[in-house]
Amino acid sequence: MPKLDLKTIPQTNATGYPPEYAGEVQGRMYRRLAPAGGISDFGVSHVVLKPGAWSAQRHWHEGEDEFLVMLAGEALLIDDSGRTPLMPGDCIACPKGDGNGHHVVNESTRDCVFVVVGGPGASDCHYPDINLHLSAGQGYRRKDGSGF
Amino acid sequence: MPKLDLKTIPQTNATGYPPEYAGEVQGRMYRRLAPAGGISDFGVSHVVLKPGAWSAQRHWHEGEDEFLVMLAGEALLIDDSGRTPLMPGDCIACPKGDGNGHHVVNESTRDCVFVVVGGPGASDCHYPDINLHLSAGQGYRRKDGSGF
């Protein structure tokens, strides 16, 4: 049956960020829905952001579109244009290669919940605010190419 | 700015179904979010189903994964396993080629709202309940291959 039983899908706050950039996503609890649902054309994550948590370090992807829809609670979209409040039902589209670093931050006092969809594959990811770069096939590096 | 202003995105109930199968989707009001948001790795539609409306004729795709998340109201997922109630926050994954015809039906007395994501490209689509087949590149045909 294609309806997903969310509570049976493992939830984690794992991150590949180096320790100096991992603190902001400790309260990001996510479930990978695509493998659980047997789909692979795109990735889907169900995310709960605890108060204070970030969806990610602010970033943009060279080769993967992203789409996010808010399900519950309140959050802020932060990107090059500033701070935009997000409420349930709000939708965000982040085109690949647009150079507009973005993330979603929960500055409220209760959990917020969203679903985020990402294009398949893996490409370089840019982090305008910090000394971090995701190099496709090489993982996280400093901007001078050195490893952590 | 990547937050989408839904009210500025055209909403339509257009369908390519032949008239004999179009009645059930007349109350399906949708917005194509991917082109509006500048993304193309996958398709995204924001759908309002009026009371009585169907998301589609019951179908399954040979080559495109689908994912749906409920945003508001109540609906029923109908597939080979029966009738499954859907509430806000519920998620459905429909793997390509699974042979499990599915659709979402609003039997309630008020609108329901969901976002549905589909893999890129176009493949044959099968309709187990009616004399309809979507043939990639040829459009809608009867199951004997004749046109409408």
Side-chain angles (χ1 to χ4, degrees):
Chain A
M1 188 181 68
K3 178 176 166 182
L4 301 176
D5 187 356
L6 292 178
K7 67 181 181 300
T8 68
I9 300 171
Q11 190 183 48
T12 178
N13 70 341
T15 178
Y17 287 157
E20 63 209 84
Y21 300 127
E24 293 86 351
V25 295
Q26 286 301 294
R28 174 188 65 177
M29 309 299 299
Y30 62 96
R31 294 178 163 95
R32 296 289 193 202
L33 300 191
I39 63 179
S40 56
D41 284 349
F42 43 83
V44 186
S45 290
H46 182 276
V47 183
V48 177
L49 287 188
K50 300 286 182 187
W54 296 7
S55 66
Q57 295 284 347
R58 198 166 75 89
H59 70 282
W60 60 274
H61 296 279
E62 285 191 13
E64 298 147 73
D65 289 332
E66 288 183 286
F67 175 84
L68 182 150
V69 56
M70 283 288 289
L71 300 184
E74 300 175 23
L76 286 170
L77 165 66
I78 300 178
D79 68 357
D80 285 351
S81 66
R83 296 159 56 90
T84 306
L86 298 177
M87 302 294 285
D90 283 344
C91 296
I92 301 170
C94 300
K96 55 192 168 196
D98 71 351
N100 180 5
H102 57 267
H103 63 172
V104 171
V105 170
N106 183 359
E107 294 186 358
S108 81
T109 56
R110 63 186 184 107
D111 293 358
C112 72
V113 185
F114 58 82
V115 161
V116 62
V117 179
S123 65
D124 277 31
C125 187
H126 298 258
Y127 296 85
D129 303 332
I130 57 179
N131 189 12
L132 184 69
H133 182 78
L134 177 61
S135 181
Q138 294 191 307
Y140 289 106
R141 302 284 175 136
R142 292 189 179 87
K143 289 179 177 173
D144 65 4
S146 61
F148 286 93
Chain B
M1 189 181 66
K3 178 176 166 182
L4 300 176
D5 186 356
L6 292 178
K7 67 180 181 299
T8 68
I9 300 171
Q11 190 183 47
T12 178
N13 71 341
T15 177
Y17 287 158
E20 64 210 84
Y21 299 127
E24 293 85 353
V25 296
Q26 286 300 296
R28 175 189 65 179
M29 308 300 299
Y30 62 94
R31 293 178 164 95
R32 296 288 193 202
L33 300 191
I39 63 179
S40 57
D41 284 349
F42 42 84
V44 185
S45 289
H46 181 276
V47 183
V48 177
L49 287 188
K50 299 286 182 189
W54 297 7
S55 66
Q57 295 284 347
R58 199 166 74 89
H59 70 281
W60 60 273
H61 296 279
E62 286 192 13
E64 298 148 72
D65 289 331
E66 288 183 285
F67 176 85
L68 182 150
V69 57
M70 284 288 290
L71 300 184
E74 299 175 24
L76 285 170
L77 166 66
I78 300 179
D79 69 358
D80 285 350
S81 67
R83 296 158 56 91
T84 306
L86 299 177
M87 303 292 286
D90 283 345
C91 296
I92 300 171
C94 300
K96 56 192 168 197
D98 71 352
N100 181 6
H102 57 267
H103 63 171
V104 171
V105 170
N106 183 359
E107 295 186 358
S108 81
T109 56
R110 63 186 183 106
D111 292 359
C112 73
V113 185
F114 57 83
V115 161
V116 61
V117 180
S123 65
D124 277 31
C125 187
H126 298 258
Y127 297 85
D129 303 331
I130 57 178
N131 190 12
L132 184 69
H133 182 78
L134 177 62
S135 182
Q138 294 191 306
Y140 289 107
R141 301 287 174 135
R142 292 191 179 87
K143 288 179 178 174
D144 65 4
S146 62
F148 286 93

